[in-house]
């Protein structure tokens, strides 16, 4: 039982369901209480102990279907009830349930199995062979040939071949063709078993690898097809940052006794400590004004910048989001109402792909928001600072910077490209508190977490 | 060879049917999944974390379990800022103060003949420390549930509304059914209470909490179950209208609404229709009573435009 369960847990983990060992133990208890015979019941009960979110439940359901075939369940159960089968899996069909093989002679068993055509026996033999061939270690699709071969050998292929050879010599042609046909079927079945195993164990290995790579990959090189995964990653990142942030706020609420202020406040009560004051750390709830360049020069990263901008508006409580190519436009409401894909697509359609005019955009930005910008506001600009040799508008940016808490410029180009050609990073960067090259999700993560940092 | 495991599921099924019938007698109809979770909760002594959209009967499940088992239901409603003095226990400060007063008065009698400070303190130590005594404890829901001699059903409602710290504080309680009171020690339940936690998913719960619980997701009920629930709760409604009504509500849940109607709303609507003496779903009637079912003006506007097709489809499928 425990072995089956262990395998199942492994398969679940491979499918990206997070299962702790404590939950594994619970699942064992469920097995004890419910048994294997009622499949639906088992599925429900295990689902409640192992999968604890809706997504996990869906993955779990798939995994369960793949792992426990209806036929398999009966077999597993029989397997459990016959200790001999456990102790000596090599016996193949010899588990005492039916006509056992003649004295454990494996070739004879395989031949016998093929001739009697007992499905249950055959399934059991396959399962045992799979176990012996350590099929749970299979990792790559290209390995399936080796593993199916190993399983066949374990079931006594060699002996069978010899028998076949002898039969051919003696001229029993009918027997030979019949056996060969059966063997062919067996091969197919084994191959199917192996492939199922691959699917179970490696279903998510690919995605996980991809996620790792995407995390480090420059945004500009990410492909359209990765947008979906990227979106999930950014969402994950945003979520993590939010939870970090909320925890920090709680620390501030608790505080310690502020002796000095308590004494001072209680002078009027004759020094009796009546009104207690707690030390509190104030949390900076940053107001953010975020501006994103969506012009032609950043075309290949605009989608991802917008994706990030969208996530920022989700994570932080007070964000005004703007985009510009030639003219500035506010997209705060758009982001608030639309889902991320639609929001990004709409923004690009309405405002994207124009030629950049930093001077004008920054002028409009200062006209629109300057009255709102105060010592708590962070201004975040995503753009490559390429102004088509026009006025970069750094004087407007400087006016903003004078009032704002800080101005952060994130440039999707690597530092070595800055100030080449029409890039105005030198002049614009001078009017910023921080300038960062932001080329991958790692960078984004670091910067957002900085935005959320609390002040003392 | 007869396998003992073969007969087990039958026994389990039997237990599930018992649970379902027991719930039905209290007026709560439940699916197999819900019955399984109650079965497992009693068997494995584990708390159940119930998630699902609002109004599908999460809280009701705890109430039904309590009624069915004849145990008291102890409810702890969570909210932001809930702390242990409100959830677990509080000292009866007033009584403690009185106790010290009494002690002060009696102190003279106690100290008769004591020579010097050292001896007095030694005398004082001979007395039990009754200042921190369970008698001065004011039990709050969690402690009450542990103290209940015959076991209780503990409902921790909307755990997602409480702070993360409170969640961590619950862990000891949920795992071992015991809690630590620094001044006294640990209090352990004689009979572990059956715990239900509900969450509306306004925030992601911690892994540690989830790990200790069975997880039950109650979705909106399917047509058959919802029909039975309405039949049970609003028996005055005639059968054909009931089918139409349920089909209509089910189709609403397929739409992209801000807030889909839950069972509680279906029941309210059914009651409304009974009051209006409706014989069948007609266009005007539905339009007039839609606000019972939908709680957002946007949703009502959206459904209003498709009302005709929806009603038609409901009539057809019923």
């Amino acid at each position: 039982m425990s072995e089956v369960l262990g395998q199942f847990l492994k398969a679940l983990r491979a499918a990206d369901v997070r299962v702790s060992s404590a939950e594994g133990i619970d699942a064992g208890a469920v097995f004890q209480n419910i048994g294997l015979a009622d499949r639906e019941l088992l599925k429900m009960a295990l689902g409640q102990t192992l999968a604890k979110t809706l997504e996990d439940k869906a993955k779990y359901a798939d995994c369960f279907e793949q792992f426990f075939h209806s036929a398999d369940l009966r077999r597993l159960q029989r397997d459990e009830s016959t200790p001999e089968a456990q102790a000596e899996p090599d016996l193949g069909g010899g588990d005492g349930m039916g006509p056992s093989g003649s004295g454990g002679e494996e070739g004879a068993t395989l031949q016998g199995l093929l001739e009697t055509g007992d499905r249950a026996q055959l399934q059991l033999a396959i399962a045992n062979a799979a176990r012996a061939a350590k099929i749970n270690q299979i990792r790559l699709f290209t390995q399936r040939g080796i593993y199916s071969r190993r399983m066949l050998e374990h079931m006594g292929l060699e002996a069978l071949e010899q028998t076949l050879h002898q039969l051919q010599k003696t001229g029993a042609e009918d027997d030979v063709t019949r056996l060969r046909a059966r063997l062919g079927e067996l091969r197919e079945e084994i191959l199917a078993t192996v492939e199922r195993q691959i699917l179970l164990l490696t279903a998510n290995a690919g995605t996980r690898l991809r996620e790792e790579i995407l995390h480090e990959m420059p945004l500009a090189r990410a492909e359209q097809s990765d947008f979906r995964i990227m979106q999930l990653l950014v969402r994950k990142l945003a979520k993590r940052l939010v939870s970090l942030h909320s925890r920090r706020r709680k620390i501030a609420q608790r505080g310690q006794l502020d002796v000095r202020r308590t004494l001072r406040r209680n002078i009027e009560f004759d020094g009796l400590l009546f009104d207690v004051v707690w030390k509190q750390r104030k949390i900076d709830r940053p107001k953010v004004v975020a501006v994103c360049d969506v012009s032609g020069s950043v075309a290949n990263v605009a989608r991802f910048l917008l994706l990030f901008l969208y996530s920022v508006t989700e994570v932080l409580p007070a964000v005004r989001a703007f985009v510009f190519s030639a003219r500035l436009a506010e997209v705060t409401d758009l982001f608030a109402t639309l889902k991320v894909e639609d929001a990004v697509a709409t923004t690009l359609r309405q405002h994207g792909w124009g030629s950049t005019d930093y001077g004008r955009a920054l002028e409009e930005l200062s006209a629109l928001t300057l009255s709102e910008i105060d010592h708590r506001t962070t201004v975040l600009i995503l753009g490559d600072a390429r102004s088509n040799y026009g006025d970069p508008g750094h004087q407007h940016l400087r006016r903003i910077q004078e009032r704002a808490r800080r101005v952060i410029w994130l440039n999707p180009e690597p530092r070595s490209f800055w100030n080449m050609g029409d890039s105005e990073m030198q002049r614009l960067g001078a009017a910023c508190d921080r300038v960062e090259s932001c080329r991958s999700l790692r960078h984004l993560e670091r910067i957002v977490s900085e935005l959320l940092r609390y002040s003392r | 060879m007869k396998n003992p495991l073969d007969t087990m599921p039958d026994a389990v099924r039997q237990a599930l049917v018992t649970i379902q019938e027991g719930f039905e007698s209290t007026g709560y109809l439940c699916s197999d999944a819900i019955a399984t979770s109650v079965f497992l909760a009693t068997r494995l002594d584990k708390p159940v974390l119930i998630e699902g959209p609002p109004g599908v009967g999460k809280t009701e499940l705890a109430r039904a379990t309590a009624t069915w088992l004849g145990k008291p239901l102890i409810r702890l409603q969570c909210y932001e800022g809930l702390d242990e003095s409100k959830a677990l226990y509080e000292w009866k400060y007033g009584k403690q103060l009185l106790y010290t007063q009494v002690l002060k008065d009696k102190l003279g009698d106690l100290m008769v003949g004591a020579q010097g400070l050292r001896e007095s303190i030694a005398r004082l130590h001979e007395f039990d420390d009754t200042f921190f005594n369970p008698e001065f404890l004011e039990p709050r829901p969690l402690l009450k549930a542990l103290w209940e001699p015959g076991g209780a059903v503990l409902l921790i409602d909307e755990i997602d509304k409480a702070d993360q710290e409170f969640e961590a504080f619950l862990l000891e309680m949920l795992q071992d059914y015991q809690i630590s009171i620094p001044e006294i020690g640990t209090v352990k339940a004689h009979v572990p209470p059956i715990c239900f936690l509900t969450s509306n998913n306004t925030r992601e719960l911690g892994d540690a909490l989830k790990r200790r619980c069975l997880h039950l997701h109650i979705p909106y009920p399917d047509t058959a179950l919802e029909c039975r629930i309405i039949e049970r709760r609003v028996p005055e409604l005639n059968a054909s209208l009931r089918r139409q009504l349920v089909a209509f509500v089910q189709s609403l849940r397929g739409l992209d609404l801000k807030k889909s109607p839950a069972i509680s709303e279906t029941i309210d609507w059914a009651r409304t229709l009974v009051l209006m003496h409706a014989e069948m779903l007609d266009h005007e009637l539905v339009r007039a009573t839609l606000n019972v079912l939908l709680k957002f003006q946007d949703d009502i506007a959206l459904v209003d435009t498709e009302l005709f097709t929806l009603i038609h489809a409901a009539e057809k499928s019923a």
Side-chain angles (χ1 to χ4, degrees):
Chain A
M1 190 97 71
S2 59
E3 192 191 346
V4 179
L5 185 60
Q7 298 269 342
F8 182 53
L9 294 184
K10 200 168 165 188
L12 271 180
R13 285 183 186 129
D16 240 0
V17 179
R18 295 231 314 254
V19 183
S20 67
S21 11
E23 284 160 329
I25 294 169
D26 289 346
V30 169
F31 255 137
Q32 294 293 341
N33 272 297
I34 285 190
L36 283 161
D38 194 329
R39 193 158 168 283
E40 279 308 306
L41 195 60
L42 185 66
K43 188 175 171 186
M44 263 183 317
L46 276 183
Q48 291 179 358
T49 44
L50 293 174
K52 310 236 161 145
T53 61
L54 264 189
E55 300 100 77
D56 278 2
K57 282 208 194 290
K59 286 181 208 156
Y60 161 83
D62 285 349
C63 203
F64 187 92
E65 293 298 334
Q66 270 183 327
F67 194 88
F68 296 105
H69 284 250
S70 42
D72 275 2
L73 265 181
R74 304 300 304 184
R75 180 176 55 68
L76 284 172
Q77 191 184 347
R78 209 178 300 153
D79 222 15
E80 296 302 334
S81 57
T82 52
E84 316 95 88
Q86 287 257 307
E88 277 182 88
D90 288 5
L91 271 179
D95 68 19
M97 289 291 296
S100 62
S102 48
E105 180 76 30
E106 293 206 346
T109 313
L110 183 56
Q111 188 188 348
L113 272 177
L114 289 178
E115 277 182 344
T116 53
D118 180 349
R119 299 286 309 164
Q121 290 289 325
L122 208 59
Q123 286 287 344
L124 184 61
I126 291 178
N128 281 330
R131 201 182 306 161
K134 297 200 173 60
I135 198 167
N136 51 0
Q137 288 172 10
I138 194 165
R139 280 292 165 270
L140 296 171
F141 203 64
T142 43
Q143 286 173 318
R144 67 202 160 126
I146 303 173
Y147 275 92
S148 49
R149 177 84 196 167
R150 258 189 226 162
M151 279 168 66
L152 266 175
E153 270 168 11
H154 180 82
M155 290 173 80
L157 180 67
E158 218 167 317
L160 184 69
E161 290 285 359
Q162 277 174 13
T163 325
L164 279 174
H165 201 62
Q166 275 168 9
L167 279 174
Q168 207 152 21
K169 265 188 198 159
T170 53
E173 283 293 334
D174 285 356
D175 283 351
V176 172
T177 40
R178 207 184 62 242
L179 269 178
R180 283 225 177 272
R182 289 266 165 87
L183 187 61
E185 285 167 22
L186 180 66
R187 261 184 226 281
E188 300 237 318
E189 205 148 319
I190 286 181
L191 206 59
T193 313
V194 173
E195 277 169 5
R196 214 164 50 225
Q197 196 72 24
I198 295 177
L199 273 183
L200 262 179
L201 290 176
T202 60
N204 268 314
T207 358
R208 221 173 293 160
L209 188 66
R210 190 112 202 99
E211 281 186 11
E212 294 259 312
I213 295 171
L214 276 177
H215 226 113
E216 299 291 350
M217 187 157 71
L219 294 173
R221 260 196 280 136
E223 310 207 356
Q224 292 300 326
S225 59
D226 292 328
F227 189 67
R228 205 153 249 297
I229 310 178
M230 206 71 165
Q231 186 185 316
L232 283 177
L233 282 177
V234 173
R235 177 75 53 81
K236 258 190 214 166
L237 186 154
K239 247 189 177 169
R240 204 162 61 226
L241 290 168
V242 166
S243 65
L244 269 176
H245 182 53
S246 65
R247 210 170 292 167
R248 278 178 188 153
R249 204 172 70 212
K250 296 293 145 49
I251 291 173
Q253 277 178 352
R254 197 172 296 141
Q256 288 168 305
L257 184 66
D258 190 333
V259 180
R260 226 168 22 166
R261 283 176 57 209
T262 306
L263 286 175
R264 199 176 309 146
R265 187 178 288 187
N266 287 294
I267 288 173
E268 54 182 310
F269 305 119
D270 241 6
L272 276 175
L273 300 188
F274 186 71
D275 192 1
V276 184
V277 185
W278 303 97
K279 270 184 194 163
Q280 277 193 343
R281 274 198 283 188
K282 276 229 182 75
I283 286 301
D284 182 22
R285 283 228 187 133
K287 282 201 290 184
V288 175
V289 173
V291 190
C292 182
D293 183 358
V294 288
S295 63
S297 56
V298 285
N300 49 358
V301 288
R303 283 174 74 87
F304 295 107
L305 290 184
L306 281 176
L307 184 59
F308 174 63
L309 190 66
Y310 188 91
S311 308
V312 169
T313 56
E314 274 186 326
V315 176
L316 296 172
V319 181
R320 287 187 74 180
F322 297 90
V323 294
F324 71 93
S325 48
R327 305 282 310 251
L328 192 78
E330 177 153 13
V331 289
T332 316
D333 292 339
L334 191 75
F335 279 12
T337 48
L338 289 181
K339 285 208 181 94
V340 57
E341 296 99 340
D342 301 336
V344 169
T346 315
T347 313
L348 280 178
R349 199 171 55 240
Q350 285 177 358
H351 310 291
W353 318 123
S355 66
T356 333
D357 187 343
Y358 270 89
R360 188 159 176 187
L362 288 174
E363 188 182 348
E364 285 178 352
L365 181 70
S366 87
L368 271 174
T369 59
L370 200 59
S371 57
E372 267 186 35
I373 288 175
D374 56 21
H375 65 285
R376 285 205 306 264
T377 316
T378 301
V379 179
L380 180 67
I381 302 175
L382 305 162
D384 60 355
R386 292 194 180 273
S387 63
N388 294 327
Y389 302 102
D391 169 28
H394 55 285
Q395 66 278 17
H396 303 297
L397 189 58
R398 187 165 293 282
R399 278 200 14 236
I400 292 174
Q401 190 216 2
E402 278 163 5
R403 303 192 57 163
R405 177 180 179 77
R406 61 198 151 167
V407 177
I408 300 176
W409 191 297
L410 302 180
N411 194 328
E413 290 182 348
R415 262 173 200 276
S416 52
F417 285 22
W418 294 2
N419 302 322
M420 313 247 293
D422 60 348
S423 172
E424 292 283 359
M425 215 48 213
Q426 182 77 51
R427 278 201 274 174
L428 283 170
C432 296
D433 298 279
R434 251 192 101 167
V435 188
E436 282 290 336
S437 167
C438 170
R439 303 199 313 281
S440 72
L441 286 181
R442 282 253 185 281
H443 292 126
L444 283 187
E445 192 172 356
R446 211 172 51 221
I447 288 150
V448 175
S449 119
E450 196 140 304
L451 277 181
L452 291 172
R453 260 237 286 269
Y454 58 101
S455 60
R456 255 164 286 272
Chain B
M1 188 156 70
K2 185 71 179 167
N3 189 336
L5 289 178
D6 265 338
T7 56
M8 194 140 66
D10 300 337
V12 175
R13 280 279 176 197
Q14 196 58 47
L16 291 192
V17 169
T18 317
I19 291 174
Q20 276 170 330
E21 280 170 357
F23 279 171
E24 203 167 335
S25 69
T26 71
Y28 184 80
L29 301 178
C30 72
S31 63
D32 280 357
I34 295 176
T36 313
S37 78
V38 173
F39 170 77
L40 286 177
T42 49
R43 259 317 159 85
L44 308 180
D45 273 343
K46 276 195 152 280
V48 185
L49 171 64
I50 314 169
E51 287 188 318
V56 290
K58 298 190 288 291
T59 309
E60 206 56 37
L61 171 60
R63 201 167 286 151
T65 313
T67 324
W68 175 53
L69 294 174
K71 292 182 175 184
L73 175 72
I74 296 173
R75 178 171 172 170
L76 173 68
Q77 172 71 45
C78 295
Y79 51 89
E80 201 170 325
L82 177 67
D83 59 9
E84 55 198 77
S85 70
K86 286 167 199 142
L88 186 51
Y89 69 91
E90 188 144 46
W91 292 105
K92 294 173 181 164
Y93 297 115
K95 276 196 182 168
Q96 277 179 327
L97 281 177
L98 280 177
Y99 168 75
T100 45
Q101 296 269 315
V102 172
L103 194 68
K104 210 170 162 187
D105 291 346
K106 297 283 173 199
L107 215 53
D109 303 345
L110 290 176
M111 294 303 163
V112 171
Q115 299 288 320
L117 190 64
R118 192 182 295 267
E119 201 176 326
S120 308
I121 289 177
R123 283 262 188 104
L124 204 57
H125 275 303
E126 284 170 17
F127 292 94
D128 295 333
D129 184 16
T130 39
F131 190 74
F132 288 121
N133 188 293
E135 281 181 18
F136 290 129
L137 271 185
E138 176 79 58
R140 302 286 188 203
L142 294 184
L143 190 60
K144 243 188 232 168
L146 291 187
W147 272 357
E148 197 64 48
V153 175
L154 174 66
L155 168 66
I156 302 175
D157 216 359
E158 306 194 8
I159 175 78
D160 52 333
K161 298 258 165 52
D163 312 311
Q164 241 157 0
E165 289 80 8
F166 183 71
E167 211 178 277
F169 161 77
L170 274 181
L171 295 180
E172 185 190 8
M173 162 86 195
L174 293 179
Q175 180 148 25
D176 301 325
Y177 298 107
Q178 67 173 38
I179 41 189
S180 306
I181 299 173
E183 295 87 353
I184 293 182
T186 50
V187 176
K188 201 166 167 54
H190 296 296
V191 183
I194 301 173
C195 293
F196 292 97
L197 293 87
T198 73
S199 155
N200 281 334
N201 240 337
T202 54
R203 76 180 165 86
E204 193 72 18
L205 295 175
D207 281 342
L209 184 79
K210 283 189 170 174
R211 200 162 59 229
R212 284 168 177 79
C213 299
L214 299 168
H215 184 272
L216 171 69
H217 182 264
I218 306 186
Y220 291 120
D222 56 16
T223 314
L225 184 62
E226 191 160 23
C227 269
R228 282 179 54 212
I229 294 172
I230 297 292
E231 186 180 356
R232 178 91 201 190
R233 287 300 185 88
V234 194
E236 307 90 329
L237 201 67
N238 72 53
S240 77
L241 181 55
R242 183 169 64 232
R243 278 194 299 275
Q244 281 179 27
L245 169 139
V246 170
F248 182 76
V249 173
Q250 293 268 346
S251 67
L252 282 191
R253 288 188 191 131
L255 297 176
D256 202 7
L257 295 179
K258 267 189 186 159
K259 160 88 179 70
S260 294
I263 305 177
S264 48
E265 272 109 12
T266 318
I267 294 174
D268 287 347
W269 198 41
R271 289 205 176 116
T272 314
L273 292 187
V274 168
L275 280 179
M276 315 258 296
H277 300 291
E279 290 298 323
M280 55 178 296
L281 284 189
D282 91 46
H283 200 260
E284 281 310 308
L285 183 71
V286 174
R287 175 167 292 173
T289 54
L290 211 51
N291 55 351
V292 178
L293 216 46
L294 300 170
K295 303 293 160 76
F296 285 93
Q297 198 54 45
D298 293 355
D299 288 351
I300 294 178
L302 180 85
V303 172
D304 212 327
T305 56
E306 295 178 39
L307 205 52
F308 195 73
T309 38
L310 284 172
I311 292 176
H312 192 63
E315 276 170 2
K316 227 175 176 182
S317 64

